[in-house]
Amino acid sequence: MSQVPLRVSVLLSVQRALWERVTPGLRGVTVTVSSTAVSGRMIFDHVPTDDDVEDCSLVETHIIADMLPEITVTLAPVGIEPPAPRDLFSGEEWVYLRKEPH
């Protein structure tokens, strides 16, 4: 990771962690990266189910495994039902964004 910028490492890690975890109800995945922390949201089109929470935990675990020990990783499952917009919080960027009608 020392030769690859942290942001790039995080984006690649999240994309890999999402393999087989993108369900029809997943609207988007965000991430915020700092030198000591990675945080993000898995945004669902419904109140997250137990399966969604488990998927989020597994994605978080895979990201943790890719990071240096001093970097804290937190990923939260949240429900934002359409037609509510999927807005980014300050400092966030999209890692995954589902196609939806405008």
Side-chain angles (χ1 to χ4, degrees):
M1 210 162 41
S2 61
Q3 295 180 350
V4 178
L6 178 59
R7 178 184 167 273
V8 173
S9 293
V10 169
L11 293 174
L12 291 172
S13 175
V14 175
Q15 288 174 357
R16 183 175 50 250
L18 286 171
W19 290 351
E20 297 186 348
R21 300 287 170 233
V22 175
T23 60
L26 186 62
R27 296 184 74 194
V29 178
T30 69
V31 69
T32 303
V33 180
S34 75
S35 61
T36 60
V38 174
S39 61
R41 299 179 294 149
M42 288 181 70
I43 301 169
F44 295 92
D45 63 8
H46 54 268
V47 174
T49 65
D50 289 344
D51 286 341
D52 297 330
V53 172
E54 178 67 18
D55 284 342
C56 186
S57 177
L58 289 169
V59 170
E60 181 183 77
T61 299
H62 286 288
I63 299 166
I64 290 168
D66 287 341
M67 297 297 113
L68 296 171
E70 61 268 17
I71 297 177
T72 303
V73 178
T74 55
L75 190 62
V78 297
I80 302 177
E81 297 181 22
R86 300 164 294 179
D87 293 329
L88 291 171
F89 294 156
S90 179
E92 280 186 328
E93 59 184 304
W94 293 112
V95 179
Y96 166 79
L97 191 60
R98 177 176 85 182
K99 181 179 179 178
E100 295 184 354
H102 297 302

